Amino acid sequence: MPVSRIPVLLLLVFGLAVTHSLQAQPKKPADDKFSAYRLDAKQTGEQANKVNQMKNGSVNLDPPSAEDKAALLEVARNYVYPVTHQEYYFTPDGPELVAKTPGARSPATVINNFRAQLLIAAPNSTTTQLAYIREFGAAAVAAIDEVLAKSPPPAIRINALQLLVAAAETGAPAAFDRAISLLKTKDEPNHPVEVLYYALNAAEGALGAYDPARGVKWLSKTKHYELVCLVDDVVQKVPACVIEKAYIPDKPVGESILTTDPKAKPTQGSLTPEQVDVAQMFRLQAIRALAKVRTDVVINDTQDKERRPLYTLCRVAVSDPALVPAPSVKELGEAVIGLGTMVPSEAVNADVLGLSIAKGVSDFILEKAASGKALGEGEVQRLHWKVYGTRLKNAYANWEKDLQKAKLPKAAKDTLISIAQTSTTGVFDPLTKQSDKGSFTPDKPAVDNWYTNRYNAVKAKGAFDLYTDKPDFKITGSTR
């Protein structure tokens, strides 16, 4: 796919452009290209009506009958199968990927229609609503698997995976399981990078919707533990397929080629700038998923295995040298948000956690603090600072409330609330006041002073252990 100096990320997102591309003209060769993968549902009006009754809570699905399952599957196919239909895709006439006519059908309409049929699991969901979410989710994943089983081209595969992401966001156990199965293949040779990317998206939705209170009818602790481990692994080490497929051979300007061919030459030694960008992009999605976990320690059902995602997020926040490549500004922001989402257990060393948050906030805001208040004419800032400020401020406001109820010593609570308030007052709140006419400079020194004072106190004790019960979790990047 030849390109001329086009920003690599715009191309490497494998067709995030392709996601909404490729519509065939009537009776053109694209018809033949899609025909081998086309699937058509055979939904009846009676089945559609029955599933709508299920969605409205008029049908009891605990347990579903064979007839109920058949109706759910056929209706799910009716919403999923259109991603295989050539009429939803187009081939552009020129270099721009745009629809031929306003309002033309596209994969986006398929995804929107699918989302409209979903319900989202919430604390106030009724038992009948939860049953619908569970059973329609299972049917939807089965239909998505039928699409993927035909090994379709990337355009179809990507859109089918986007439907899986939507299903995962509902909390449906089947989508949770499917995210696990997809991530288990992440280290296989020639793994498709788009599958990894959307599997991480699905993991984010699944972990965000996870509620242990729903019990065995939904998901076991072991399933939750398994998905957390798979995501955590990606944060700690980006899969080889991402690095290998982000290769641009040395060619004269104007002849650079981005390839996702599995035979692409791996780079020896240090990563190229393109590989750094791509690795950070995939790891960013893994960090977002890990940041949805609510507890700092995740265990399986038999309590003989555990993973501590808080430790991994702390490593990102302090830019642990073992993380290759070094975290980007966005990765730091997402890690800090995650640290303000997990409720720490009694074994957490609040001083070291506070240091990790402070360093993450300080490094995250470094570029913004250095840029000054004024925006130059025509200048475009690299981050949506106001959006990040709002997300951070909301996360830490909720975290303070959670800390008050957490089983922590008062001194530990005071330490964590102190860094939360210092960061909010000095950084998060000023960021929410950004506008297109100017910006407010964050008070980075306030966070740095907090860090320095706490660092000296911790250093005097001689250990930067994140946990008091195990010495294995040292935050080696917390020193300056």
Side-chain angles (χ1 to χ4, degrees):
M1 174 177 164
V3 298
S4 299
R5 309 296 292 176
I6 300 177
V8 66
L9 286 183
L10 295 180
L11 295 172
L12 187 80
V13 188
F14 27 77
L16 282 181
V18 174
T19 305
H20 303 302
S21 66
L22 296 176
Q23 179 156 0
Q25 303 175 38
K27 307 303 181 184
K28 296 294 183 181
D31 291 294
D32 295 331
K33 178 184 290 187
F34 277 75
S35 63
Y37 308 102
R38 186 181 182 99
L39 291 169
D40 291 291
K42 299 177 182 178
Q43 168 191 288
T44 66
E46 182 180 355
Q47 287 174 324
N49 182 58
K50 186 168 187 178
V51 171
N52 281 331
Q53 289 178 340
M54 296 174 187
K55 183 180 178 183
N56 295 332
S58 303
V59 175
N60 181 12
L61 290 173
D62 274 327
S65 66
E67 185 180 346
D68 291 336
K69 288 186 176 182
L72 284 162
L73 179 57
E74 207 55 55
V75 171
R77 286 168 171 165
N78 186 65
Y79 284 99
V80 171
Y81 281 1
V83 298
T84 69
H85 298 175
Q86 63 84 18
E87 58 264 31
Y88 284 90
Y89 298 80
F90 64 88
T91 300
D93 291 328
E96 296 183 1
L97 298 177
V98 295
K100 290 181 176 298
T101 56
R105 289 185 295 180
S106 71
T109 63
V110 179
I111 295 168
N112 291 338
N113 290 340
F114 178 74
R115 284 186 175 276
Q117 189 62 26
L118 301 174
L119 293 178
I120 304 295
N124 61 347
S125 296
T126 65
T127 54
T128 52
Q129 288 174 327
L130 290 174
Y132 173 79
I133 293 167
R134 184 187 69 230
E135 299 302 330
F136 186 75
V141 171
I144 292 167
D145 281 345
E146 289 169 345
V147 172
L148 297 177
K150 295 176 74 70
S151 299
I156 293 176
R157 184 165 61 238
I158 287 171
N159 287 305
L161 290 169
Q162 288 197 76
L163 297 180
L164 177 65
V165 173
E169 291 168 358
T170 70
F176 201 105
D177 289 343
R178 196 67 180 95
I180 290 174
S181 66
L182 287 174
L183 284 175
K184 279 184 175 180
T185 64
K186 61 184 171 57
D187 294 317
E188 292 181 357
N190 302 328
H191 185 73
V193 288
E194 72 273 14
V195 173
L196 173 61
Y197 185 81
Y198 285 104
L200 290 169
N201 272 265
E204 179 184 2
L207 291 172
Y210 174 72
D211 183 355
R214 296 191 191 112
V216 295
K217 282 189 176 181
W218 285 69
L219 287 161
S220 65
K221 288 183 180 179
T222 296
K223 288 287 186 181
H224 183 237
Y225 163 80
E226 193 172 8
L227 184 55
V228 170
C229 287
L230 288 164
V231 172
D232 193 279
D233 288 344
V234 175
V235 178
Q236 294 190 46
K237 183 179 180 181
V238 178
C241 65
V242 173
I243 304 297
E244 292 169 355
K245 294 180 181 180
Y247 167 62
I248 298 183
D250 294 329
K251 287 196 173 186
V253 173
E255 297 183 27
S256 295
I257 297 175
L258 174 70
T259 177
T260 55
D261 191 315
K263 296 180 181 179
K265 175 184 176 183
T267 302
Q268 301 296 323
S270 300
L271 300 180
T272 67
E274 293 80 16
Q275 288 173 322
V276 169
D277 286 342
V278 173
Q280 288 175 335
M281 182 185 74
F282 277 79
R283 191 174 59 196
L284 173 66
Q285 186 54 52
I287 293 169
R288 284 174 174 160
L290 200 63
K292 297 295 185 182
V293 181
R294 295 280 297 165
T295 57
D296 68 308
V297 180
V298 176
I299 59 175
N300 63 350
D301 284 308
T302 54
Q303 300 186 20
D304 60 339
K305 295 180 181 179
E306 69 169 25
R307 185 65 67 104
R308 303 195 179 193
L310 181 75
Y311 174 63
T312 301
L313 291 180
C314 281
R315 291 181 62 206
V316 176
V318 303
S319 298
D320 189 320
L323 296 175
V324 179
S328 66
V329 175
K330 286 186 178 181
E331 289 178 273
L332 294 176
E334 296 297 337
V336 171
I337 289 173
L339 293 175
T341 301
M342 293 180 186
V343 180
S345 58
E346 293 179 84
V348 169
N349 184 335
D351 286 331
V352 176
L353 174 56
L355 283 174
S356 301
I357 294 171
K359 188 168 190 303
V361 172
S362 178
D363 290 350
F364 169 73
I365 207 63
L366 178 63
E367 178 183 310
K368 176 63 176 173
S371 68
K373 293 183 178 181
L375 287 174
E377 184 177 354
E379 180 182 357
V380 178
Q381 297 203 53
R382 194 151 61 92
L383 289 183
H384 297 291
W385 293 108
K386 187 170 186 176
V387 174
Y388 264 105
T390 301
R391 291 178 61 206
L392 286 159
K393 183 176 179 179
N394 291 341
Y396 278 80
N398 292 328
W399 196 51
E400 284 188 48
K401 297 176 184 176
D402 291 336
L403 288 172
Q404 297 289 2
K405 297 179 287 186
K407 294 180 180 180
L408 292 172
K410 184 179 184 303
K413 291 182 181 181
D414 291 345
T415 294
L416 297 177
I417 289 174
S418 173
I419 185 56
Q421 292 179 345
T422 299
S423 299
T424 299
T425 301
V427 176
F428 306 156
D429 189 55
L431 288 182
T432 67
K433 297 180 172 62
Q434 306 303 295
S435 71
D436 57 355
K437 296 181 180 179
S439 61
F440 292 79
T441 301
D443 188 2
K444 184 176 181 293
V447 177
D448 290 341
N449 290 337
W450 191 100
Y451 177 94
T452 300
N453 292 334
R454 191 67 55 173
Y455 173 79
N456 290 333
V458 174
K459 186 178 181 181
K461 298 177 183 177
F464 288 88
D465 298 337
L466 182 60
Y467 284 93
T468 58
D469 63 334
K470 289 188 177 181
D472 303 333
F473 300 94
K474 297 183 183 299
I475 304 301
T476 57
S478 60
T479 57
R480 288 188 181 277

XYZ file of all heavy atoms in Angstrom, residues 119-152:
244
model
N -29.182 -3.711 25.343
C -29.389 -3.074 26.635
C -28.060 -3.134 27.382
O -27.267 -4.043 27.174
C -30.465 -3.796 27.447
C -31.901 -3.739 26.928
C -32.817 -4.561 27.848
C -32.404 -2.302 26.838
N -27.837 -2.174 28.256
C -26.605 -2.121 29.032
C -26.900 -2.551 30.469
O -27.811 -2.032 31.111
C -26.007 -0.703 29.041
C -25.778 -0.214 27.601
C -24.710 -0.677 29.836
C -24.747 -0.987 26.829
N -26.117 -3.502 30.957
C -26.294 -3.952 32.337
C -25.921 -2.829 33.294
O -24.890 -2.185 33.153
C -25.433 -5.183 32.602
N -26.793 -2.583 34.256
C -26.573 -1.521 35.243
C -27.068 -2.004 36.601
O -27.833 -2.975 36.680
C -27.313 -0.246 34.823
N -26.647 -1.347 37.679
C -27.090 -1.772 39.010
C -28.607 -1.798 39.176
O -29.135 -2.600 39.937
C -26.455 -0.717 39.932
C -25.237 -0.269 39.201
C -25.624 -0.272 37.754
N -29.291 -0.931 38.434
C -30.754 -0.887 38.556
C -31.472 -1.721 37.487
O -32.701 -1.640 37.359
C -31.247 0.559 38.492
C -30.905 1.248 37.174
O -30.109 0.740 36.397
N -31.495 2.404 36.947
N -30.729 -2.518 36.721
C -31.366 -3.366 35.711
C -32.224 -4.434 36.390
O -31.822 -5.007 37.413
C -30.305 -4.054 34.834
O -29.570 -3.115 34.088
N -33.377 -4.695 35.812
C -34.253 -5.729 36.366
C -33.724 -7.105 35.987
O -32.877 -7.246 35.098
C -35.683 -5.570 35.834
O -35.674 -5.810 34.410
C -36.219 -4.164 36.105
N -34.244 -8.132 36.641
C -33.799 -9.498 36.337
C -34.137 -9.878 34.899
O -33.377 -10.594 34.245
C -34.433 -10.496 37.306
O -35.861 -10.335 37.280
C -33.928 -10.272 38.725
N -35.292 -9.413 34.396
C -35.655 -9.734 33.009
C -34.740 -9.006 32.023
O -34.388 -9.551 30.966
C -37.124 -9.374 32.724
O -37.355 -8.011 33.111
C -38.072 -10.286 33.496
N -34.358 -7.784 32.349
C -33.429 -7.050 31.482
C -32.062 -7.728 31.468
O -31.436 -7.872 30.413
C -33.293 -5.602 31.967
C -34.510 -4.738 31.704
C -34.395 -3.357 32.327
O -33.790 -3.191 33.393
N -34.959 -2.357 31.670
N -31.598 -8.135 32.628
C -30.308 -8.816 32.706
C -30.330 -10.128 31.920
O -29.350 -10.483 31.250
C -29.937 -9.082 34.159
C -29.564 -7.848 34.993
C -29.348 -8.239 36.455
C -28.320 -7.160 34.432
N -31.455 -10.821 31.995
C -31.570 -12.071 31.246
C -31.508 -11.802 29.740
O -30.883 -12.559 28.987
C -32.871 -12.784 31.614
N -32.144 -10.732 29.301
C -32.093 -10.379 27.879
C -30.665 -10.034 27.467
O -30.180 -10.479 26.405
C -33.017 -9.200 27.582
C -32.874 -8.687 26.165
C -33.495 -9.349 25.103
C -32.093 -7.566 25.878
C -33.341 -8.897 23.798
C -31.941 -7.105 24.580
C -32.574 -7.773 23.534
O -32.415 -7.328 22.244
N -29.976 -9.246 28.288
C -28.596 -8.874 27.979
C -27.737 -10.121 27.842
O -26.937 -10.257 26.903
C -28.038 -7.949 29.076
C -28.769 -6.600 29.058
C -26.530 -7.740 28.907
C -28.527 -5.743 30.277
N -27.918 -11.041 28.761
C -27.129 -12.274 28.761
C -27.423 -13.121 27.527
O -26.510 -13.562 26.824
C -27.440 -13.064 30.032
C -26.622 -14.334 30.221
C -27.140 -15.119 31.423
N -28.455 -15.686 31.182
C -29.490 -15.558 32.010
N -29.380 -14.885 33.142
N -30.659 -16.127 31.706
N -28.706 -13.338 27.226
C -29.072 -14.253 26.149
C -28.908 -13.637 24.765
O -28.457 -14.301 23.828
C -30.519 -14.742 26.349
C -30.743 -15.512 27.648
C -29.848 -16.734 27.757
O -29.485 -17.320 26.711
O -29.496 -17.111 28.894
N -29.259 -12.349 24.612
C -29.055 -11.732 23.304
C -27.557 -11.579 23.040
O -27.095 -11.736 21.896
C -29.740 -10.365 23.212
C -29.658 -9.764 21.823
C -30.452 -10.244 20.796
C -28.758 -8.745 21.535
C -30.370 -9.710 19.506
C -28.659 -8.205 20.263
C -29.477 -8.690 19.239
N -26.783 -11.308 24.100
C -25.341 -11.234 23.937
C -24.763 -12.544 23.443
O -23.891 -12.568 22.560
N -25.248 -13.650 23.985
C -24.771 -14.967 23.555
C -25.121 -15.217 22.093
O -24.302 -15.732 21.314
C -25.380 -16.053 24.435
N -26.336 -14.844 21.696
C -26.755 -15.023 20.305
C -25.935 -14.135 19.372
O -25.531 -14.562 18.275
C -28.245 -14.716 20.173
N -25.682 -12.891 19.798
C -24.923 -11.959 18.964
C -23.494 -12.464 18.747
O -22.967 -12.418 17.633
C -24.905 -10.578 19.604
N -22.861 -12.952 19.807
C -21.495 -13.463 19.679
C -21.471 -14.685 18.764
O -20.547 -14.848 17.955
C -20.909 -13.795 21.066
C -19.582 -14.539 20.929
C -20.719 -12.521 21.875
N -22.485 -15.517 18.859
C -22.562 -16.681 17.967
C -22.658 -16.231 16.512
O -22.003 -16.808 15.621
C -23.769 -17.545 18.337
N -23.453 -15.201 16.243
C -23.582 -14.699 14.871
C -22.285 -14.061 14.397
O -21.873 -14.227 13.238
C -24.727 -13.690 14.808
N -21.628 -13.319 15.281
C -20.338 -12.706 14.939
C -19.309 -13.792 14.620
O -18.532 -13.678 13.665
C -19.852 -11.811 16.096
C -20.772 -10.589 16.242
C -18.406 -11.368 15.879
C -20.578 -9.808 17.524
N -19.323 -14.864 15.400
C -18.396 -15.973 15.149
C -18.654 -16.620 13.789
O -17.720 -17.067 13.117
C -18.526 -17.026 16.251
C -17.792 -16.629 17.518
O -16.955 -15.699 17.448
O -18.052 -17.230 18.574
N -19.915 -16.667 13.385
C -20.238 -17.229 12.071
C -19.634 -16.374 10.953
O -19.188 -16.898 9.925
C -21.754 -17.342 11.914
C -22.361 -18.431 12.798
C -23.885 -18.378 12.839
O -24.467 -17.356 12.425
O -24.491 -19.363 13.286
N -19.611 -15.070 11.167
C -18.974 -14.178 10.184
C -17.467 -14.398 10.172
O -16.846 -14.560 9.109
C -19.301 -12.704 10.507
C -18.489 -11.767 9.601
C -20.795 -12.435 10.335
N -16.861 -14.419 11.339
C -15.410 -14.550 11.434
C -14.929 -15.921 10.970
O -13.805 -16.058 10.476
C -14.954 -14.311 12.877
C -15.222 -12.911 13.441
C -14.788 -12.835 14.898
C -14.500 -11.840 12.619
N -15.776 -16.940 11.116
C -15.386 -18.300 10.736
C -15.115 -18.435 9.240
O -14.406 -19.356 8.813
C -16.479 -19.285 11.150
N -15.627 -17.509 8.445
C -15.410 -17.562 6.999
C -14.104 -16.881 6.580
O -13.823 -16.748 5.390
C -16.607 -16.923 6.276
C -17.906 -17.701 6.475
C -19.099 -16.984 5.821
C -19.083 -17.112 4.305
N -19.361 -18.472 3.838
N -13.328 -16.438 7.600
C -12.053 -15.752 7.334
C -12.222 -14.643 6.309
O -11.575 -14.634 5.240
C -10.993 -16.757 6.856
O -10.755 -17.727 7.846
N -13.095 -13.675 6.594
C -13.369 -12.611 5.627
C -12.206 -11.638 5.521
O -11.293 -11.643 6.356
C -14.598 -11.923 6.239
C -14.412 -12.110 7.708
C -13.819 -13.477 7.857
